[in-house]
Amino acid sequence: MNSLELRYTVDSEDFTLAGDAASRIKKKLKRMELSPDIVRRASISLYEGEINMFIHASGGEIIVTVSSDEIKMELVDRGPGIEDVKLAMREGYSMAPDNVRSLGFGAGMGLPNMKKYTDELEIESEVGVGTTVTMKIYIR
Amino acid sequence: MTIDNIREILDCEVICGEEHLQSDVHTACGSDMMSDVLAFVKDQAVLLTGLVNLQVIRTAEMMDIICIVFVRAKMPDENIIEFAKEKGIVLLSTNYRMFVACGKLYEKGLGGGERI
Ligand SMILES: Nc1ncnc2c1ncn2[C@@H]1O[C@H](COP(=O)(O)OP(=O)(O)OP(=O)(O)O)[C@@H](O)[C@H]1O
Ligand SMILES: [Mg+2]
């Protein structure tokens, strides 16, 4: 299988567009020789990450690289950063404001879902600088 | 059961996706929080929700969910309907509340996957 690199800029102006990058990437992944389960796990993880960029970090960039043995997904933002990553990873932990909850987000399940659906998850974050989330899904 | 069975049990209005009513559905999930829904992955699932926005459709798309039932007579706007059509997702609307809608489907044998 050929390798592939995809880059998307996430602009947080318009919430109706939240998830557009994940949707576009899913379409591309579907056309590759990947199992539907892998495509779904990658799409959900990207979607959660993209929504987090919208809600918590005013946008950022998504870089997806597919090689013969893994899908690597990097989400880079220059948002406020996460003070306590371990706490943020806990199921049910959310700092989302109420207006976000009325949009259907803020259950504190996004990061745990990303962990659950990927084989590797690494979060590098510095308060006031930004957050980089790197996820990998093994293809075999 | 089929999507058409769901339509009948919940006395739904079909908003779009008439042509997919004979598709099989194996499990269901009911929530207004999208990350709760995203924690649940099963094949050929239906989503029951009281939330109406584009992210509901996107959530379904990411999960390969084939049918969304809006409870409490919620109605999506044209934008949302067009978006669901593009993705081939069936939209239904029922007058029942979430609890009752889920209960009715469960009673007729639709499962919700195992305990977490
Ligand atoms: N990119 C980010 N930048 C800054 N803070 C973040 C970022 N991603 C997550 N966080 C913080 O970590 C918390 C937990 O994130 P998580 O995705 O698990 O839950 P949530 O986004 O609050 O709710 P949900 O994902 O269930 O809709 C968030 O509430 C937020 O405070
Ligand atoms: Mg989140």
Side-chain angles (χ1 to χ4, degrees):
Chain A
M1 188 167 57
N2 294 328
S3 63
L4 172 78
E5 193 191 86
L6 304 167
R7 275 173 184 272
Y8 291 89
T9 302
V10 176
D11 175 355
S12 68
E13 290 287 284
D14 181 1
F15 190 72
T16 62
L17 286 177
D20 186 58
S23 169
R24 285 165 195 272
I25 295 166
K26 180 168 191 178
K27 271 194 204 113
K28 295 245 161 80
L29 294 179
K30 266 181 160 172
R31 286 198 215 111
M32 302 183 81
E33 288 164 36
L34 296 165
S35 79
D37 176 61
I38 285 179
V39 173
R40 180 158 62 189
R41 282 161 52 210
S43 310
I44 294 175
S45 307
L46 279 168
Y47 182 60
E48 291 280 19
E50 185 181 354
I51 297 280
N52 278 355
M53 277 182 164
F54 258 86
I55 293 174
H56 309 296
S58 60
E61 200 180 5
I62 300 180
I63 305 128
V64 177
T65 332
V66 186
S67 59
S68 58
D69 51 355
E70 66 181 27
I71 304 175
K72 183 177 170 198
M73 301 169 277
E74 289 167 283
L75 295 103
V76 185
D77 70 59
R78 297 189 183 286
I82 305 172
E83 202 170 297
D84 186 340
V85 171
K86 217 175 135 203
L87 185 62
M89 286 297 304
R90 213 183 272 172
E91 281 190 15
Y93 177 84
S94 174
M95 292 281 280
D98 281 345
N99 67 315
V100 163
R101 224 148 275 148
S102 64
L103 295 169
F105 296 91
M109 290 299 293
L111 290 173
N113 281 348
M114 288 151 79
K115 170 113 188 133
K116 175 170 136 189
Y117 293 126
T118 57
D119 295 303
E120 285 179 38
L121 168 74
E122 199 193 327
I123 301 174
E124 276 173 80
S125 192
E126 200 179 322
V127 173
V129 179
T131 303
T132 298
V133 178
T134 309
M135 299 180 282
K136 286 182 184 173
I137 292 179
Y138 307 147
I139 292 176
R140 13 169 186 251
Chain B
M1 65 176 70
T2 63
I3 295 177
D4 199 42
N5 295 140
I6 293 180
R7 182 196 57 74
E8 207 178 309
I9 295 165
L10 299 182
D11 198 10
C12 293
E13 177 176 333
V14 180
I15 303 167
C16 71
E18 198 94 37
E19 66 277 23
H20 303 301
L21 289 184
Q22 295 316 317
S23 300
D24 273 315
V25 171
H26 295 159
T27 47
C29 168
S31 182
D32 291 351
M33 295 305 265
M34 291 303 105
S35 290
D36 271 347
V37 176
L38 289 158
F40 164 97
V41 157
K42 289 278 177 297
D43 278 318
Q44 287 172 289
V46 51
L47 167 63
L48 291 94
T49 188
L51 183 74
V52 185
N53 61 23
L54 281 174
Q55 273 61 42
V56 176
I57 313 292
R58 283 222 171 84
T59 299
E61 177 194 7
M62 295 305 145
M63 300 188 68
D64 306 314
I65 281 178
I66 55 178
C67 172
I68 302 169
V69 180
F70 294 110
V71 296
R72 283 178 271 131
K74 294 268 168 96
M75 268 295 168
D77 63 28
E78 266 314 308
N79 255 342
I80 298 175
I81 298 171
E82 270 314 305
F83 202 55
K85 279 186 188 161
E86 262 170 48
K87 320 256 175 217
I89 296 169
V90 181
L91 299 184
L92 304 176
S93 176
T94 178
N95 286 344
Y96 291 111
R97 286 158 194 270
M98 178 72 99
F99 179 76
V100 177
C102 292
K104 280 185 175 283
L105 294 179
Y106 194 81
E107 189 185 53
K108 294 279 196 240
L110 190 63
E114 72 286 355
R115 283 201 258 180
I116 49 159

